[in-house]
Amino acid sequence: MLLLPRQSAVTPTTSLQVDETGGNVSSTSVMVNLEVSDVSISGDDSELESDWETGKKGRKFKLRGQPASKRVKVVDSASASAHKTTSIVRRKKNVSVFLSMPLDVICAIFLELTIKDLIALTRTSKSLRDTLLEKHATIIWKTVRENSSVPEPPHDFSEQRWASFLFGGTQCQCCGAPNIRTVEFFLRRRLCTKCKKDNYVVESRFARMFPHQEKAVLDLIPFTDVGGWAHGHASSSRFFWREDIEKMIQRWDELKSKSRSVKGKQQLQDFCEQRKKFVATVLQEGENYIEWRERSSKEHSNDIHERKKARYEAICQRFRDLGYEDCDIREIEYEKSVAVTNELTDRGWTRIRPSLEQVIIKARDSRLDFELRRRRAERVHTFKKVFDAHALTVLPPLWLQYPHWQEVANFPEIIQIIDSPDNVIVNAHSFAPAMAELPSLIAKWLEDKRAALKKQLVAANMDDASTMTPTSMIDVDVLNLATSVFKCAGEGCMQTPLYAETWSDPLFGWTDAASHMCSGRTSSLWNFSPLTVAYTGIPSYIKAVIVPFRDASVVAAKLVRLVGLDPSRVTIVDMDRSGYYFLCSGCPLVHNRRQKAYPWRAAVCIL
């Protein structure tokens, strides 16, 4: 019989019948009566006066267990409506209003709840607690448990105790530590790691911790195979709870002291058999519960995954409706506001849309930029193949003066094709008109470079009388004079003084300056993949920066005068053909204590 707390003397006509054999609650089985003593079911305000009794000195006091009536307060018409609303809200919060409903309605509500909800109800009021912990309320707990796919309780547990053990809280039952999610089914306890380490007794240490005790006691106590230091991993050892051992030793000693008689000996034997069966039952039930926990955990994880997936798909669909593409929407999959289990609502969508949209826009811009770089890299790669094929048709002397292929790719005629609109297909044939004009373009490039070197050389020689070239000689192969010495000032060039132990190797005349191959040219990525370039970018090359080498020009002019020639007229070819060698008086002696002789170009380098 399911009883609710006693209330006012009103017997409801509603009846509830419980089928304890099948575990179902219906309206056609065992009759359950409900007595009400302190709440009017009809809700008539005239009966509230019966809740009060008059004490000594004419004072009224409230009967225990009755909701207190409020003193009548005179309010104006403006606040009457607000006061009425407040009274209604407070009346709805009263548990007695819920208990005044028909019993079959209450039980129907209980059956729609979860186990955690029932446990929470037992902690709201004493009335609900007494109702749900009543023995005949077991059918409600059993039905809710079966609806939740929770296994049956152990043979020595009630439905309420089993529900509280599994879902009543996550505190350690020994020390009260919070957030203990794992239950030790073999020991029927929820324990923290510290308590396990402090109270577990491994079988191998039993004799040391409990001397003069028979080891057969351990066969009568449930145990676990997961130690306190095992981090959830099972082992071949048996671990017992210290308190269980102490109680069992006490009980064992009591029966042992009576075992001298035949009856006492039989009692001890029956007790041992009974406990061994109990331990076997506990171990078997524990195995079943562990399997259920693992299966339930997996199902819970799958459920969370499906709910997150459904939310993610709902968000993706809303962004698809806004015109975004899936490749950009995928970037929000692991955002905190997306990877949750809550169902997407219009209010939630309004809240999370701005931040997620920024992520998608950023991903879209990054993708478009990557596609642009990849498309440009493919076109540059196509041009390089065309340029390499053209280089095979150029004579070696002329090829030495050709610019770097990346410099040619920056010619206006070439860059115009590379930077064509996206809807234009660029292939090898697209570069055919520009490649037909390439010899003339390179010739113009060489002429511009030659004119720039002449201008720099004249400006440098105007400041130095020792290498000054007469104005009348400027147009007569001034770049091929013996005093026309250059160097590469490109950043990172291996021929700059930054990397040389002495002076850098000078560049003599136009031929050396035009054919100079800076280190950046050889270290550039000649064979590259467009996909790699799309990520890393087209490798930059070190452009050769040819400038007059004034110190070397001064040394060259001194060597020319040393042989009796005019620096303003002698060319590089003349000095090469002269056959003069020069001795360095400041250089160390070589074999047989002789001085080494140097050609004029080498002499310029070491002096």
Side-chain angles (χ1 to χ4, degrees):
M1 181 174 62
L2 179 63
L3 298 179
L4 293 176
R6 295 181 57 85
Q7 299 176 344
S8 62
V10 179
T11 303
T13 59
T14 304
S15 63
L16 179 69
Q17 296 180 353
V18 183
D19 183 6
E20 297 189 2
T21 60
N24 299 322
V25 179
S26 63
S27 58
T28 59
S29 294
V30 181
M31 181 69 67
V32 179
N33 295 327
L34 174 66
E35 296 183 358
V36 183
S37 62
D38 46 37
V39 175
S40 175
I41 296 179
S42 62
D44 188 359
D45 294 336
S46 62
E47 296 181 9
L48 295 178
E49 185 64 25
S50 62
D51 295 340
W52 296 84
E53 292 186 359
T54 304
K56 296 180 179 180
K57 299 182 180 180
R59 295 180 181 178
K60 289 185 177 182
F61 62 92
K62 185 68 176 65
L63 293 177
R64 179 176 296 179
Q66 310 304 324
S69 300
K70 291 185 175 295
R71 181 182 300 175
V72 179
K73 182 178 180 181
V74 180
V75 294
D76 55 4
S77 59
S79 60
S81 177
H83 178 73
K84 182 179 180 181
T85 303
T86 304
S87 301
I88 294 175
V89 172
R90 290 178 178 176
R91 183 177 300 175
K92 287 182 178 179
K93 291 182 178 180
N94 198 328
V95 179
S96 60
V97 177
F98 173 76
L99 296 178
S100 65
M101 293 189 299
L103 185 59
D104 55 347
V105 176
I106 295 177
C107 291
I109 294 175
F110 286 162
L111 295 178
E112 295 296 327
L113 301 178
T114 64
I115 299 179
K116 290 184 178 181
D117 295 334
L118 291 179
I119 295 175
L121 284 177
T122 61
R123 298 170 180 174
T124 55
S125 69
K126 188 176 184 299
S127 300
L128 284 176
R129 178 180 179 85
D130 294 340
T131 300
L132 291 174
L133 295 184
E134 179 71 24
K135 181 178 180 181
H136 293 283
T138 302
I139 187 62
I140 297 178
W141 292 88
K142 181 179 179 181
T143 305
V144 172
R145 174 182 59 76
E146 292 176 350
N147 294 338
S148 303
S149 301
V150 177
E152 294 184 359
H155 63 283
D156 55 339
F157 270 58
S158 64
E159 290 285 349
Q160 293 89 332
R161 181 186 175 189
W162 180 238
S164 178
F165 178 67
L166 295 179
F167 307 102
T170 59
Q171 293 80 18
C172 174
Q173 295 178 349
C174 182
C175 67
N179 300 324
I180 309 302
R181 306 292 179 180
T182 305
V183 174
E184 295 296 335
F185 288 108
F186 294 127
L187 300 181
R188 310 286 180 82
R189 287 179 174 87
R190 188 184 295 270
L191 302 170
C192 65
T193 303
K194 183 178 183 302
C195 291
K196 292 178 182 179
K197 294 179 179 179
D198 294 341
N199 295 278
Y200 273 7
V201 177
V202 66
E203 183 178 7
S204 59
R205 295 188 178 182
F206 174 79
R208 185 188 309 172
M209 299 180 65
F210 297 93
H212 311 296
Q213 297 294 337
E214 298 183 23
K215 196 173 182 179
V217 175
L218 299 181
D219 297 334
L220 312 179
I221 307 172
F223 61 89
T224 180
D225 56 357
V226 180
W229 286 268
H231 302 287
H233 299 286
S235 64
S236 59
S237 301
R238 297 196 300 176
F239 298 89
F240 301 86
W241 188 249
R242 180 191 295 270
E243 185 179 355
D244 292 345
I245 296 177
E246 293 174 351
K247 291 182 178 179
M248 183 54 62
I249 290 176
Q250 183 178 2
R251 179 60 176 165
W252 176 269
D253 293 340
E254 292 178 359
L255 295 176
K256 196 72 173 176
S257 61
K258 302 178 182 179
S259 62
R260 295 181 180 179
S261 63
V262 177
K263 183 178 179 181
K265 188 175 183 179
Q266 185 63 34
Q267 289 180 350
L268 177 61
Q269 184 178 357
D270 295 342
F271 175 76
C272 293
E273 293 179 357
Q274 181 182 359
R275 288 298 301 180
K276 288 180 180 180
K277 291 181 180 180
F278 172 78
V279 171
T281 304
V282 170
L283 296 180
Q284 182 60 43
E285 292 175 344
E287 293 289 346
N288 298 334
Y289 295 145
I290 291 176
E291 292 179 2
W292 164 77
R293 180 174 61 189
E294 294 176 353
R295 183 174 62 255
S296 177
S297 178
K298 185 176 181 180
E299 293 176 355
H300 180 66
S301 299
N302 294 338
D303 179 65
I304 291 178
H305 175 73
E306 292 299 328
R307 292 167 63 184
K308 288 183 178 180
K309 183 178 179 180
R311 177 181 174 88
Y312 171 68
E313 291 296 335
I315 295 175
C316 290
Q317 185 59 44
R318 298 215 180 192
F319 278 116
R320 291 191 195 101
D321 297 340
L322 295 176
Y324 294 101
E325 298 184 11
D326 290 343
C327 56
D328 302 325
I329 299 176
R330 283 195 295 266
E331 294 295 325
I332 66 172
E333 182 175 1
Y334 299 103
E335 292 292 325
K336 291 183 178 180
S337 57
V338 176
V340 293
T341 58
N342 299 338
E343 185 179 357
L344 183 64
T345 60
D346 293 338
R347 182 179 181 182
W349 166 250
T350 304
R351 178 177 57 84
I352 67 177
R353 175 185 170 181
S355 59
L356 296 180
E357 196 166 13
Q358 292 297 324
V359 176
I360 295 177
I361 292 175
K362 183 178 179 180
R364 181 192 61 188
D365 295 342
S366 177
R367 175 179 59 84
L368 294 178
D369 181 65
F370 172 78
E371 292 177 356
L372 177 62
R373 287 186 281 111
R374 180 175 181 175
R375 183 167 53 251
R376 193 176 190 278
E378 291 175 350
R379 294 176 177 180
V380 172
H381 190 264
T382 302
F383 166 73
K384 183 182 178 300
K385 290 183 178 180
V386 175
F387 182 81
D388 292 343
H390 169 76
L392 298 177
T393 64
V394 181
L395 296 176
L398 182 59
W399 168 250
L400 290 176
Q401 298 181 1
Y402 258 50
H404 193 275
W405 72 269
Q406 289 183 251
E407 192 166 358
V408 177
N410 290 324
F411 285 0
E413 294 78 6
I414 304 298
I415 201 68
Q416 181 180 2
I417 301 174
I418 294 176
D419 294 337
S420 299
D422 300 342
N423 56 354
V424 177
I425 299 177
V426 177
N427 50 32
H429 298 287
S430 304
F431 295 98
M435 295 304 296
E437 300 178 4
L438 187 60
S440 60
L441 295 176
I442 293 180
K444 183 178 180 301
W445 178 82
L446 291 174
E447 289 298 328
D448 295 341
K449 184 176 182 179
R450 187 183 184 93
L453 288 178
K454 282 185 179 181
K455 186 176 180 180
Q456 294 181 26
L457 187 60
V458 172
N461 291 340
M462 291 294 294
D463 298 334
D464 194 345
S466 61
T467 59
M468 185 177 294
T469 302
T471 307
S472 60
M473 296 296 297
I474 292 178
D475 296 331
V476 186
D477 290 334
V478 64
L479 294 178
N480 290 327
L481 292 176
T483 57
S484 299
V485 186
F486 304 92
K487 67 178 179 179
C488 179
E491 183 179 358
C493 180
M494 295 298 295
Q495 295 184 359
T496 58
L498 178 62
Y499 301 98
E501 295 181 359
T502 60
W503 283 5
S504 62
D505 295 336
L507 306 174
F508 293 91
W510 164 250
T511 303
D512 289 354
S515 61
H516 172 69
M517 297 181 65
C518 187
S519 60
R521 177 175 180 178
T522 58
S523 61
S524 296
L525 190 59
W526 281 76
N527 298 317
F528 61 88
S529 168
L531 182 60
T532 303
V533 173
Y535 285 104
T536 61
I538 299 177
S540 60
Y541 71 101
I542 302 176
K543 184 178 179 180
V545 181
I546 308 301
V547 296
F549 199 167
R550 295 184 59 182
D551 295 337
S553 297
V554 172
V555 174
K558 290 181 180 180
L559 295 179
V560 171
R561 292 191 184 96
L562 187 60
V563 297
L565 300 177
D566 185 4
S568 63
R569 295 182 179 273
V570 175
T571 63
I572 297 173
V573 177
D574 294 337
M575 288 298 294
D576 291 339
R577 293 177 179 176
S578 65
Y580 288 107
Y581 282 81
F582 301 88
L583 298 176
C584 178
S585 60
C587 297
L589 300 178
V590 292
H591 302 290
N592 298 325
R593 297 183 180 180
R594 295 179 181 179
Q595 290 181 335
K596 185 177 180 180
Y598 297 94
W600 79 278
R601 293 198 186 205
V604 172
C605 294
I606 66 174
L607 294 178

